[in-house]
Amino acid sequence: GENVEQHPSTLSVQEGDSAVIKCTYSDSASNYFPWYKQELGKGPQLIIDIRSNVGEKKDQRIAVTLNKTAKHFSLHITETQPEDSAVYFCAASIPDYKLSFGAGTTVTVRA
Amino acid sequence: EAQVTQNPRYLITVTGKKLTVTCSQNMNHEYMSWYRQDPGLGLRQIYYSMNVEVTDKGDVPEGYKVSRKEKRNFPLILESPSPNQTSLYFCASNRSGQEAFFGQGTRLTVV
């Protein structure tokens, strides 16, 4: 099955700086790569996703890049704000199959 | 409002006492899954279902059962809970290759 590795496990950034989280996946058949944000006491929520026919996608301060050859994808958050503090999960999915999640990154934005 | 509803949100039980955590979605999604979340281990899939009467094991199925008699419901059953099943549980639903929607979580403690 698919194996997703996520780094770093914790990330502390100064408010206004950028944050980058990286994930690798093992199965070249994976074609859907979502990112989820989990705030304290809540379930994970999708913040951005990318498909294998796209190399980069951006939504305001959040961007995701995908390198299919190297089998890795990254989340970039620019101009971080205190409300960006949360746990972030990457995931990968083979068509018509389950999502496999990374172990999560706890992001802390220091004021 | 599109949502996944889990009950109960919190549960403390004793070893060996059968329990059921309910999950219901109102989006007519084919796929439903159960995850457990433990510190440092991310979201690990317990069971998933691709449609009514179709279920399959995830990564950590031991000690759990599920059923999918109706499209909207996907209960998680612990026939004989043990302390190592103390965890935070999430139910999720999605369409194939699409965003997964998560419930609010059930925090289970087995003493």
Side-chain angles (χ1 to χ4, degrees):
Chain A
E2 177 63 275
N3 182 45
V4 178
E5 295 192 357
Q6 182 172 346
H7 299 280
S9 57
T10 60
L11 181 59
S12 179
V13 297
Q14 190 70 36
E15 183 177 356
D17 288 350
S18 295
V20 180
I21 304 169
K22 298 182 179 182
C23 289
T24 60
Y25 60 99
S26 60
D27 197 321
S28 56
S30 289
N31 68 345
Y32 177 60
F33 306 92
W35 286 88
Y36 289 84
K37 177 183 181 182
Q38 185 181 24
E39 296 176 338
L40 203 61
K42 296 184 178 180
Q45 283 195 300
L46 182 79
I47 53 172
I48 195 167
D49 57 11
I50 192 168
R51 298 190 182 275
S52 58
N53 58 347
V54 175
E56 183 174 355
K57 185 175 178 181
K58 196 171 182 180
D59 182 4
Q60 298 182 332
R61 296 186 296 107
I62 293 173
V64 58
T65 59
L66 171 65
N67 183 327
K68 284 189 64 181
T69 304
K71 288 191 279 189
H72 66 70
F73 55 114
S74 301
L75 178 72
H76 304 251
I77 307 173
T78 58
E79 300 172 22
T80 52
Q81 300 168 6
E83 54 263 38
D84 295 328
S85 294
V87 180
Y88 292 82
F89 292 97
C90 63
S93 173
I94 300 167
D96 294 325
Y97 199 58
K98 60 179 183 174
L99 275 174
S100 296
F101 285 87
T105 298
T106 300
V107 174
T108 303
V109 179
R110 307 187 306 272
Chain B
E1 181 192 353
Q3 61 185 7
V4 177
T5 303
Q6 293 178 229
N7 280 296
R9 292 289 312 277
Y10 302 91
L11 180 59
I12 301 174
T13 190
V14 296
T15 299
K17 186 176 181 182
K18 181 180 178 180
L19 66 91
T20 299
V21 184
T22 63
C23 174
S24 180
Q25 51 98 0
N26 63 359
M27 295 165 280
N28 202 36
H29 287 166
E30 303 89 18
Y31 286 73
M32 296 187 76
S33 301
W34 275 103
Y35 297 87
R36 60 178 289 173
Q37 184 176 14
D38 302 289
L41 297 177
L43 290 159
R44 293 182 294 168
Q45 193 177 60
I46 303 170
Y47 268 94
Y48 66 100
S49 169
M50 290 186 282
N51 217 321
V52 175
E53 303 291 2
V54 181
T55 63
D56 206 350
K57 295 177 180 179
D59 301 314
V60 288
E62 294 77 22
Y64 304 95
K65 284 176 58 177
V66 293
S67 70
R68 188 93 182 270
K69 293 184 170 53
E70 306 164 284
K71 199 170 187 179
R72 63 183 293 124
N73 296 323
F74 191 45
L76 179 69
I77 303 155
L78 284 73
E79 294 271 4
S80 182
S82 63
N84 65 10
Q85 293 178 298
T86 292
S87 188
L88 178 59
Y89 291 86
F90 287 100
C91 179
S93 74
N94 65 286
R95 288 203 170 88
S96 175
Q98 302 290 328
E99 171 189 2
F101 290 81
F102 285 82
Q104 289 286 80
T106 296
R107 187 166 291 282
L108 172 66
T109 302
V110 183
V111 298

